[in-house]
Amino acid sequence: MGLNLMLGLCDVSCWPHGDSILILQHLTGAVLLMGRCSKTFFCRGSFRSLIFHYFNYYFNFFFFNIFPFSQVMQADAVVLLDVGNMYVPPTWIRPGAAIIYSKPALEKGIALYIVFPINFLYVFSVSDLEISRAQIPKPVDQLAEEIGLLPEELEAYGRSKAKVRLSVLERLQSQPNGKYILVAGITPTPLGEGKSTVTVGLVQALSAHLKLNSFACLRQPSQGPTFGVKGGAAGGGYAQVIPMEEFNLHLTGDIHAITAANNLVAAAIDARMLHEATQSDKALFNRLVPSVNGVRKFSPIQISRLQRLGIRKTDPASLTPEEINAFVRLDLDPSKITWQRVVDTNDRFLRKITVGQASSEKGQIREVWHYSGIKCLLTSAHCLDKPRISMSLFILAAGVKRLFKLGCHGLQSFLNSSHMFLALKLVGQDGFVVTEAGFGADIGMEKFFNIKCRASGLRPSVVVLVATVRALKMHGGGPNVSAGAPLPREYTDENLSLVAGGCCSNLKKQIQIAHLFGVPVVVAVNVFKTDTQAEIDLVCQIAKDCGASDALPCNHWAQGGRGSSELAQAVKEAASKPSDFQFLYNTEMPIVEKIRTIAQRVYGADDIELSPEAKSKTDYYHQQGYGSLPICMAKTHLSLSHMPDKKGAPTGFVLPIRDVRASIGAGFIYPLVGTMSTMPGLPTRPCFYDIDLDPVTEEITGLF
């Protein structure tokens, strides 16, 4: 079955690309599909034809062709956009063909109208990757110039991405900051509820529609979810980062560089323990300070170590045996080592392993664990050239700026705060910087406020809380949602009772959590095609009844920034009002009390229960002088409690703390709650099954 479409553009000298939409509207006797044309053809004062030819629903493919006027009569439907007083001769149109006179529904972009009988309905789907590749991004050097960066402050990585040097902060230090907006979410389903997409759509709306200087500042995606279940973190639809495959796959290599630096330190620790266990002081000294051409001398870094030990000598021959012993031996206790190897992959078999089993390691066997993702260890970061791991500059689908830095689990490193500072300076006093916190507000937002805001000194103006009808139905008593499985009918059919139950439990609790920190909340309802208007209206009403400053539906996935323009206006209004930001706890409180405060006030637990190992660790960290560090809870993101199957807002539970570990370089203590693992595993059918490389085009395929 073939279907031809004629699209006419009349008297057009410029037709800008912009936000687009893919929606269905039911008309009398027909179905109207509005979409987007990735290529625009202009000819002032004349009529150019674009024919959508041979639409074959059996094979789900289509292509555009340009036809001369003599072939206009082949069209089944002719759409004339903004024809004004132009006369269209009847001889141009095939007898029986439909003629539609219409202005485009969008101020920007091109609307494609496909008309066919009502008894035939086929909706073709376009992947995020196809949408991304249909856009032509602005050259990054031009973008950098437009936002006020100097050429010497930019290090380009091709045409579409670049690094920004941290020296910009010194130049802009007297510039007033813009408004700081945090995007968080309710407790999600395993599918995710679209915080990244909301972040992108909000910035598109602020910039392109409200004409405000705006930046989105997000972390670089981890390979774990990208190749696992959830997918990348570029947003989606017409609210995404482009080119999305470069962003989701490696970006500029920072995560790999940090991984290498971190694992180099881990290898050095194990090697040093081996050498100290198998060599005498003299042998160690001779190898650490070798004689070169008969001369033995300390290196600058060794002199620094001597000074830290209180030894003010520079001649190796002048050291006493006691001083040599102190110099050559770290005397590390294997049971007290918290520095672990990391890998940016979900590899369940690295959760707990034994190292040193080869005979060459001479019995230096110990159990270790790995992390998935980079834990923002500043000591690792300092092993690299800071300007090279500073920030990455990208562009959104609508031409909006975006800065990235690596990080994970809703918590960014100190260096990641640098791109917040830079963005806040670049947008100016009336501008907006939007960032997101991972998982639900109980995890990502709590850490963002108690750890990141404490370290950076920055204070957010508004929390945008993302909710979906799907997740609210789950919290209202709906059946389980599993990645890769079809959604049960409760999620595709209207069910106001389930929606209300989720709103009055989880949504209400997450709003209350944000209010604990004194920050106003605007609820963003991320709309899906199965949501009904009654369900959306109900969510917005209950959200406002629960204390949200406002609550609005968002259609950014389908419409780009235009679909979030009302959200942007609400955020702007909320940010103009004073807030009373406050931390949840004082860092000078004992470690156990800080954990208890989070458990009771944020999660809703009655109390906490520490295992003997966890209690021993908290005592040890206090003795080592780390008791004043903030807390970074490692807990399931699928429930406010430690039990993933407990939805809504559970109460009456005791939170079990299995272990307590420390990331001293990053500056926090992280308790392990329940059975929480720091190394996720791959599912039966991971995302990477569909990802491939086209040997002809050399393009990535199958990436979302």
Side-chain angles (χ1 to χ4, degrees):
M1 176 179 178
L3 175 70
N4 297 335
L5 169 74
M6 170 60 65
L7 174 66
L9 304 180
C10 305
D11 195 26
V12 177
S13 60
C14 177
W15 201 291
H17 287 225
D19 300 326
S20 308
I21 183 172
L22 196 64
I23 62 174
L24 281 175
Q25 295 180 359
H26 291 273
L27 304 181
T28 303
V31 174
L32 177 67
L33 177 63
M34 257 182 12
R36 186 184 200 285
C37 176
S38 61
K39 295 184 179 179
T40 312
F41 301 87
F42 309 114
C43 186
R44 184 175 180 82
S46 66
F47 185 93
R48 270 296 184 90
S49 63
L50 177 64
I51 295 185
F52 187 79
H53 195 49
Y54 299 130
F55 178 75
N56 191 315
Y57 73 96
Y58 289 112
F59 297 97
N60 190 23
F61 71 85
F62 61 91
F63 47 89
F64 293 102
N65 289 305
I66 301 302
F67 288 83
F69 292 123
S70 62
Q71 297 188 27
V72 170
M73 290 187 65
Q74 296 181 14
D76 299 306
V78 177
V79 181
L80 304 177
L81 303 181
D82 200 15
V83 295
N85 296 321
M86 180 180 179
Y87 172 67
V88 180
T91 55
W92 284 16
I93 311 300
R94 179 179 62 82
I99 305 175
I100 302 175
Y101 294 86
S102 175
K103 291 186 178 181
L106 306 174
E107 294 178 4
K108 295 183 179 181
I110 294 181
L112 299 185
Y113 296 81
I114 303 174
V115 181
F116 43 85
I118 191 65
N119 58 3
F120 166 66
L121 173 60
Y122 179 82
V123 183
F124 64 86
S125 62
V126 182
S127 71
D128 291 344
L129 184 57
E130 290 169 322
I131 293 172
S132 172
R133 287 178 177 162
Q135 319 304 313
I136 302 176
K138 184 180 294 185
V140 71
D141 54 348
Q142 178 184 344
L143 177 66
E145 181 180 0
E146 291 175 358
I147 65 176
L149 294 173
L150 303 178
E152 60 269 22
E153 295 168 340
L154 199 71
E155 184 178 354
Y157 280 65
R159 288 175 48 83
S160 58
K161 58 187 175 182
K163 285 184 177 293
V164 181
R165 297 186 179 276
L166 296 180
S167 58
V168 183
L169 290 172
E170 298 178 8
R171 179 170 65 85
L172 299 178
Q173 60 182 344
S174 61
Q175 176 89 347
N177 289 343
K179 299 290 193 304
Y180 196 23
I181 310 300
L182 176 67
V183 176
I186 65 171
T187 303
T189 69
L191 308 177
E193 308 316 310
K195 291 189 301 297
S196 296
T197 312
V198 170
T199 301
V200 175
L202 174 57
V203 172
Q204 286 175 321
L206 288 167
S207 298
H209 299 279
L210 270 63
K211 308 303 180 184
L212 297 168
N213 290 335
S214 304
F215 273 94
C217 293
L218 294 182
R219 63 182 177 89
Q220 178 181 345
S222 168
Q223 287 181 184
T226 298
F227 293 138
V229 175
K230 194 175 177 183
Y238 291 98
Q240 64 168 297
V241 189
I242 57 173
M244 66 90 82
E245 66 268 43
E246 292 187 32
F247 175 58
N248 281 311
L249 301 176
H250 315 303
L251 193 57
T252 54
D254 285 348
I255 282 185
H256 307 303
I258 295 293
T259 299
N262 180 91
N263 293 343
L264 174 61
V265 175
I269 291 171
D270 283 330
R272 186 57 178 261
M273 288 192 298
L274 168 68
H275 295 316
E276 290 185 19
T278 57
Q279 298 181 49
S280 64
D281 290 354
K282 181 178 179 181
L284 284 170
F285 188 75
N286 288 337
R287 287 180 170 87
L288 290 170
V289 192
S291 176
V292 179
N293 297 325
V295 178
R296 190 189 302 273
K297 65 178 182 179
F298 293 120
S299 67
I301 196 170
Q302 289 175 331
I303 292 177
S304 297
R305 170 162 171 74
L306 288 168
Q307 291 174 348
R308 288 196 298 272
L309 292 171
I311 302 173
R312 307 298 177 184
K313 298 179 180 179
T314 58
D315 181 8
S318 64
L319 265 63
T320 66
E322 292 76 16
E323 291 171 338
I324 290 176
N325 176 270
F327 171 73
V328 301
R329 295 194 179 277
L330 300 177
D331 286 330
L332 299 175
D333 181 351
S335 66
K336 297 294 193 294
I337 294 174
T338 61
W339 192 284
Q340 303 296 333
R341 290 166 174 81
V342 297
V343 58
D344 190 32
T345 304
N346 290 354
D347 191 346
R348 66 175 67 245
F349 286 93
L350 295 180
R351 287 173 175 168
K352 189 174 184 180
I353 62 176
T354 303
V355 297
Q357 294 195 74
S359 59
S360 58
E361 310 321 310
K362 303 177 181 179
Q364 300 299 307
I365 299 174
R366 67 185 183 95
E367 286 188 341
V368 300
W369 61 88
H370 277 61
Y371 293 115
S372 173
I374 310 306
K375 297 300 289 183
C376 314
L377 300 172
L378 291 185
T379 311
S380 298
H382 292 163
C383 295
L384 305 175
D385 174 24
K386 279 198 225 176
R388 292 189 58 83
I389 62 168
S390 53
M391 289 152 278
S392 297
L393 179 63
F394 251 71
I395 190 167
L396 304 183
V400 183
K401 290 74 66 180
R402 191 171 188 180
L403 284 171
F404 296 97
K405 189 65 200 75
L406 59 87
C408 68
H409 304 300
L411 180 69
Q412 320 294 331
S413 69
F414 163 78
L415 289 173
N416 197 19
S417 297
S418 299
H419 79 313
M420 300 293 184
F421 283 114
L422 173 58
L424 287 165
K425 298 295 184 185
L426 287 171
V427 298
Q429 191 168 5
D430 297 325
F432 287 80
V433 173
V434 184
T435 189
E436 74 167 282
F439 304 134
D442 57 301
I443 299 180
M445 185 187 70
E446 181 272 315
K447 296 174 183 175
F448 183 94
F449 288 155
N450 279 322
I451 302 177
K452 186 171 182 179
C453 289
R454 200 185 300 266
S456 67
L458 299 174
R459 301 292 182 264
S461 303
V462 178
V463 167
V464 175
L465 190 66
V466 178
T468 63
V469 170
R470 176 180 67 194
L472 290 169
K473 286 181 176 180
M474 177 189 71
H475 290 296
N480 288 337
V481 175
S482 301
L487 285 173
R489 291 197 60 176
E490 288 85 348
Y491 295 100
T492 57
D493 296 343
E494 182 175 276
N495 193 317
L496 299 179
S497 176
L498 290 180
V499 172
C503 289
C504 295
S505 58
N506 196 268
L507 178 61
K508 179 180 179 180
K509 176 63 175 177
Q510 301 288 12
I511 293 173
Q512 291 173 345
I513 293 171
H515 287 164
L516 288 175
F517 297 91
V519 183
V521 177
V522 174
V523 172
V525 183
N526 189 16
V527 176
F528 286 72
K529 64 181 180 181
T530 56
D531 301 344
T532 68
Q533 191 61 48
E535 290 174 332
I536 295 169
D537 291 343
L538 182 61
V539 175
C540 293
Q541 183 57 53
I542 295 179
K544 287 183 279 190
D545 292 343
C546 291
S549 299
D550 208 341
L552 302 118
C554 303
N555 292 282
H556 44 271
W557 187 91
Q559 301 178 19
R562 184 176 304 280
S564 287
S565 57
E566 291 184 356
L567 173 65
Q569 186 63 45
V571 169
K572 178 184 176 184
E573 292 176 5
S576 66
K577 301 174 183 178
S579 62
D580 185 23
F581 179 82
Q582 58 188 0
F583 296 117
L584 188 65
Y585 55 78
N586 188 318
T587 54
E588 297 305 317
M589 292 169 57
I591 295 175
V592 173
E593 289 307 311
K594 286 181 283 194
I595 297 173
R596 179 175 285 110
T597 298
I598 295 172
Q600 292 178 334
R601 301 192 65 190
V602 177
Y603 305 153
D606 286 348
D607 203 352
I608 61 174
E609 182 178 8
L610 274 69
S611 70
E613 181 180 7
K615 182 64 171 65
S616 174
K617 291 282 192 67
T618 58
D619 293 341
Y620 173 72
Y621 295 140
H622 178 75
Q623 294 169 5
Q624 294 294 309
Y626 304 135
S628 61
L629 292 177
I631 303 299
C632 181
M633 302 287 280
K635 181 185 75 69
T636 178
H637 63 291
L638 298 175
S639 173
L640 282 162
S641 73
H642 61 286
M643 300 166 284
D645 60 329
K646 299 297 182 183
K647 306 302 181 182
T651 57
F653 63 93
V654 175
L655 195 74
I657 307 300
R658 182 180 88 246
D659 194 5
V660 177
R661 299 173 185 171
S663 286
I664 304 305
F668 55 74
I669 302 292
Y670 63 102
L672 299 181
V673 179
T675 59
M676 182 67 183
S677 173
T678 58
M679 171 62 74
L682 287 171
T684 303
R685 196 192 191 288
C687 292
F688 70 74
Y689 276 23
D690 301 311
I691 302 174
D692 202 353
L693 180 67
D694 189 320
V696 178
T697 64
E698 298 183 353
E699 290 184 335
I700 300 293
T701 61
L703 191 63
F704 327 124

